[in-house]
Amino acid sequence: MDKPQIPLFGPISEHEDVSKFDTISKRTILLPSASFEEEKQDFSFSKHILFRFFILSQRTSYSTQLLVSWGLIIPAIALNRVRLEQLIVSSYLIHEDADKGINPFVKHMPIANFENIKAAWSDAKVAEILKQDINIDGLEKEAANAISDFSIEFKFSPEKTKKKWTSLDLRSMAKRRDLLTKSLNRISEISLERFYITIYKDLSSVIHCNSLALSPSFLGKVTLNSNSYPVLVPNFNWAKIISAQNALFDIIQTFEIMKFIGIDCYSDFSNLLDQWNQARDKYI
């Protein structure tokens, strides 16, 4: 007897509001597919980095939709916050001067790698396992070579390396990005700092599990029927909010990456933004 087929997406994906925003998200992914295939043979290194951002963000967006569809609201909220971070960083890299943005971002990779390995190496048992496959002295040398390319404030010493590739925190990065994009076009001029000071702050409660994560903002009592006890469930109003934000982040990020790569797509994405605005006005 054949096993019953379990649908990939859950029942909430069929709700009209969630479905509308998810459809917009899917269209933002479909638009660049053929164009990227044609263009990526000629990608510069910086374009390749942004293409990687696109792939990472695409997978995150898809995972968010999947979680929402099955009512897994709390992990979907956490992933939506990750999604905003991806957008802020990639948009900043696209619009900032390369010597302040994408160049130090890339050059910092061996430094970050060394710092992570060094932290794990501090545990003797972990170090015994790691040393079988990892040459920490070689990683330290790579980090030192990388740090030499930074400005004077990034000076390397064995005791201390530069922890970050930029002095900006995430909000400052969003603010700077907004300044760089405010007169570009109706898609890129959408403020990302506004999302940081509103939704990002709210969602941090779930990420860091402070007391608000257990508040009625995220969890509420529901009685399923007259014979059942109340149960705690996630606040399902977040389903459409997460889906809406996910779709808008997809529009902005995919458009900007395609434009950076050199693909003319403004008309298509402007149309998607119109559809998103209409759905927002109807459902949010």
Side-chain angles (χ1 to χ4, degrees), residues 3-9 70:
K3 292 182 180 179
Q5 293 296 310
I6 300 174
L8 181 59
F9 283 86
W70 287 105

Side-chain angles (χ1 to χ4, degrees), residues 77-274:
I77 285 173
L79 208 53
N80 190 239
R81 190 174 184 266
V82 172
R83 190 71 194 83
L84 178 59
E85 292 192 30
Q86 293 170 343
L87 173 58
I88 290 172
V89 174
S90 70
S91 188
Y92 173 75
L93 294 181
I94 286 171
H95 298 291
E96 182 58 277
D97 181 81
D99 288 335
K100 297 179 181 178
I102 198 162
N103 290 346
F105 178 81
V106 172
K107 290 175 182 177
H108 196 266
M109 288 181 182
I111 302 169
N113 187 39
F114 170 65
E115 284 293 337
N116 292 341
I117 294 294
K118 186 174 71 171
W121 210 275
S122 64
D123 183 294
K125 291 186 177 179
V126 175
E128 282 298 317
I129 297 171
L130 292 178
K131 67 174 55 174
Q132 299 175 26
D133 300 303
I134 295 174
N135 177 4
I136 194 169
D137 292 332
L139 293 180
E140 184 173 9
K141 185 176 293 185
E142 290 178 13
N145 290 337
I147 214 74
S148 66
D149 289 332
F150 285 97
S151 60
I152 188 69
E153 64 176 303
F154 288 85
K155 286 296 184 182
F156 175 85
S157 69
E159 295 77 28
K160 185 178 180 180
T161 60
K162 183 65 179 177
K163 300 294 184 183
K164 298 180 179 180
W165 57 273
T166 176
S167 59
L168 299 177
D169 58 30
L170 193 64
R171 180 177 180 180
S172 300
M173 190 180 297
K175 183 189 289 289
R176 171 63 179 167
R177 175 267 179 195
D178 287 353
L179 180 65
L180 293 168
T181 62
K182 67 178 182 178
S183 300
L184 286 182
N185 55 70
R186 64 189 292 254
I187 300 173
S188 292
E189 71 182 10
I190 295 171
S191 172
L192 299 187
E193 186 189 12
R194 185 176 298 127
F195 286 108
Y196 180 90
I197 63 176
T198 54
I199 200 76
Y200 189 87
K201 286 292 187 183
D202 283 338
L203 303 192
S204 68
S205 301
V206 175
I207 297 291
H208 301 297
C209 203
N210 65 29
S211 58
L212 284 178
L214 308 178
S215 74
S217 295
F218 299 106
L219 291 171
K221 289 182 180 179
V222 172
T223 302
L224 300 178
N225 57 59
S226 59
N227 298 320
S228 68
Y229 293 102
V231 294
L232 273 176
V233 297
N235 184 338
F236 280 95
N237 284 330
W238 282 103
K240 64 181 178 182
I241 295 172
I242 295 168
S243 299
Q245 298 234 120
N246 195 52
L248 183 60
F249 297 165
D250 286 344
I251 291 170
I252 299 170
Q253 187 170 34
T254 308
F255 164 73
E256 290 193 336
I257 290 175
M258 289 183 72
K259 186 172 182 290
F260 180 80
I261 287 172
I263 300 169
D264 181 9
C265 56
Y266 178 75
S267 178
D268 289 329
F269 279 86
S270 184
N271 180 260
L272 286 175
L273 182 58
D274 287 338

Side-chain angles (χ1 to χ4, degrees), residues 7-64:
L8 181 59
F9 283 86
I12 294 178
S13 64
E14 298 176 5
H15 291 195
E16 183 179 325
D17 47 5
V18 171
S19 175
K20 181 61 179 178
F21 290 117
D22 284 356
T23 297
I24 294 172
S25 277
K26 290 179 175 68
R27 287 173 181 164
T28 68
I29 301 305
L30 292 174
L31 279 173
S33 298
S35 299
F36 280 155
E37 286 301 320
E38 294 173 7
E39 294 282 342
K40 68 183 181 182
Q41 299 298 326
D42 300 320
F43 277 3
S44 64
F45 186 71
S46 58
K47 288 181 179 180
H48 180 74
I49 291 296
L50 269 299
F51 178 71
R52 286 182 173 231
F53 252 111
F54 168 74
I55 297 299
L56 177 64
S57 302
Q58 179 189 46
R59 303 297 190 268
T60 310
S61 174
Y62 184 85
S63 299
T64 303

